[in-house]
Amino acid sequence: MRTPGTDRIDAPRFGRRALLTGGAAGAGLGAALGAGAVLGIPALTGTEDAPDPAAAGFGGETLPCHGAHQAGVATAPTAHARYLAFALRPETDRAALARMFRVLSDDIEGLASGEAPLADPEPELAARPARLTITVGVGPGLVDRVDPARRPAWLAPLPSFARDALDGRHDGGDLLCLVQADDPLAIAHAARMLARDLRSFAEPLWTQQGFRRARGAEPAGTTMRNLMGQVDGTVNPSPEDPDFADLVWCDGRASASDAADVSWLAGGTALVLRRIRMELDTWDRVDRPGREQTIGRTLADGAPLTGGTERSAADFDARTPHGLPVIPGYAHIRRAHSEDPAERIFRRSANYDADGEAGLVFACFQRDPLRQFVPIQRRLDELDLLNEWVTHTGSAVFAVLPGFAPGGVLGAALLA
């Protein structure tokens, strides 16, 4: 474990893993450590010097994994993301879940730090984490297995939308691990570690990968573009906003219409994940003015059609000389707009392009999807011209667990 406030390693990482293995497995671990000492492998002996953060360089940067909130939600987006959903095995009971979360906590601490967990068979692959974060969420089935009375009303499949075409390949899940980094190698290694260590508790259900521009390809803070060429993510709440916490972080109190005990969610958040296929072949046939009218923004810089810059407020009352709305009633930004400041979501999406299909892995965080995401999506479902070129094929809702302290365990409040 690290000593808080230092970059030194005090001792080999035995704690949680030793508690979970024991017996013959523990003997095997001891033999491995002994072999490491004989061969002089630093990762097994625990005698190596801690990496020098100043010499880490591009790709060697780490992000803290501890705190009131999990990393990977409000931290700056990375170039790559992978969503891993799992279905719990029938025999995974409450005691097994406690062991599972210990394993996950150990993996996250090691992989995010660049030191690798003790059980990592390829610690060299963890040495360059490239701002790796691992964010863990739980689905309705997992919470029900602990105590159905602790599941909030929003932790359930979303209400049906008329234009959805869910194909069952990217829906639901009991457990989610969101792995993000600037390097695909760091993500691939972390995903393999997580899948291996979860094997006794859960089975893989689905995987989704997404990407943004490579880090450094454009100035930090630039709004991403999706594969339709649109600036995607304008008018997004910022962690610096005074009302960000009220919009995104759960406070452990249920709404007036929800009797669930959600005290375990204080510091967590709700994640809505939608897989949105883009019909790029037909979108390519639309001329530039038609594309801009569909969105309500210019393609060049994302400014609203009423003028200004990307950050300028759209004037939905503006009219053309012929008396028509400058931003049409069917435009995407008009349909997504709400006069209620509490009806906002924190978007953190990524592009995907695989197996002859392209689109958006749309992710948004909020305190209550039923009060925030659902009203927005209903308006889009009802009348949004963009629906002619996008199809929602996957949908899932997860409760992102609160953060944990050094030496702590994810999900402790849920299992308490």
Side-chain angles (χ1 to χ4, degrees):
M1 294 290 296
R2 283 184 181 274
T3 299
T6 75
D7 283 312
R8 295 191 59 81
I9 301 172
D10 296 327
R13 301 170 63 88
F14 287 104
R16 298 185 183 121
R17 200 70 64 167
L19 291 174
L20 300 177
T21 54
L29 178 60
L33 287 170
V38 171
L39 296 174
I41 302 175
L44 293 180
T45 62
T47 59
E48 77 279 20
D49 291 331
D52 179 4
F58 190 93
E61 306 95 331
T62 62
L63 293 176
C65 66
H66 301 117
H69 316 296
Q70 288 193 71
V73 176
T75 46
T78 55
H80 302 275
R82 185 182 297 189
Y83 292 84
L84 306 165
F86 299 86
L88 293 177
R89 293 184 179 278
E91 64 273 17
T92 302
D93 57 13
R94 190 187 189 110
L97 288 173
R99 297 194 299 273
M100 182 188 77
F101 283 124
R102 289 192 192 104
V103 170
L104 280 172
S105 302
D106 189 49
D107 283 350
I108 292 170
E109 286 184 331
L111 292 166
S113 70
E115 298 166 9
L118 181 63
D120 191 341
E122 290 93 21
E124 295 81 5
L125 295 180
R128 306 288 291 177
R131 298 196 302 157
L132 176 76
T133 59
I134 300 171
T135 312
V136 178
V138 297
L142 189 151
V143 178
D144 283 350
R145 201 167 293 197
V146 175
D147 183 355
R150 310 199 79 186
R151 176 161 64 91
W154 54 258
L155 187 55
L158 291 172
S160 61
F161 300 105
R163 295 180 179 270
D164 279 1
L166 307 183
D167 57 22
R169 295 185 298 147
H170 302 98
D171 299 340
D174 296 325
L175 179 73
L176 179 78
C177 295
L178 165 56
V179 186
Q180 301 175 85
D182 288 322
D183 183 359
L185 181 62
I187 289 181
H189 175 64
R192 178 176 171 231
M193 276 286 297
L194 294 168
R196 189 199 67 174
D197 289 347
L198 289 171
R199 195 173 297 147
S200 298
F201 310 100
E203 298 178 347
L205 186 61
W206 50 256
T207 299
Q208 298 190 65
Q209 294 203 154
F211 60 89
R212 294 169 170 243
R213 286 196 189 274
R215 184 179 168 200
E218 54 192 8
T222 302
T223 307
M224 69 164 272
R225 286 188 183 267
N226 63 35
L227 295 178
M228 284 180 157
Q230 308 158 8
V231 175
D232 195 314
T234 306
V235 194
N236 206 21
S238 168
E240 287 75 39
D241 293 344
D243 62 347
F244 183 84
D246 293 335
L247 291 170
V248 175
W249 302 120
C250 298
D251 60 5
R253 295 179 294 178
S255 64
S257 60
D258 191 348
D261 173 13
V262 294
S263 56
W264 59 275
L265 260 174
T269 185
L271 166 64
V272 171
L273 189 65
R274 304 276 285 178
R275 187 175 182 88
I276 306 175
R277 185 179 71 232
M278 294 177 174
E279 316 299 347
L280 295 179
D281 288 346
T282 53
W283 178 252
D284 288 345
R285 302 171 195 167
V286 182
D287 62 17
R288 196 172 186 88
R291 295 183 184 195
E292 294 182 338
Q293 290 280 307
T294 298
I295 305 303
R297 293 185 178 277
T298 63
L299 288 172
D301 59 4
L305 296 183
T306 48
T309 66
E310 179 195 346
R311 308 297 178 188
S312 299
D315 181 0
F316 294 111
D317 295 324
R319 299 277 169 169
T320 69
H322 300 289
L324 299 175
V326 175
I327 299 176
Y330 53 70
H332 181 74
I333 66 168
R334 184 185 285 273
R335 300 303 300 173
H337 177 72
S338 174
E339 297 294 335
D340 182 357
E343 196 180 277
R344 289 182 291 154
I345 54 179
F346 179 52
R347 291 163 286 162
R348 193 183 175 98
S349 301
N351 300 304
Y352 77 85
D353 183 7
D355 302 323
E357 180 180 305
L360 193 70
V361 182
F362 176 87
C364 66
F365 298 92
Q366 62 263 281
R367 183 175 286 194
D368 186 339
L370 296 178
R371 294 172 176 267
Q372 293 169 263
F373 173 80
V374 169
I376 297 171
Q377 185 57 34
R378 280 182 173 150
R379 290 195 300 274
L380 296 174
D381 191 56
E382 178 185 7
L383 180 64
D384 177 9
L385 189 59
L386 188 60
N387 289 330
E388 296 296 319
W389 298 280
V390 299
T391 305
H392 293 245
T393 64
S395 181
V397 179
F398 295 95
V400 174
L401 296 170
F404 66 111
V409 178
L410 272 171
L414 173 61
L415 296 173

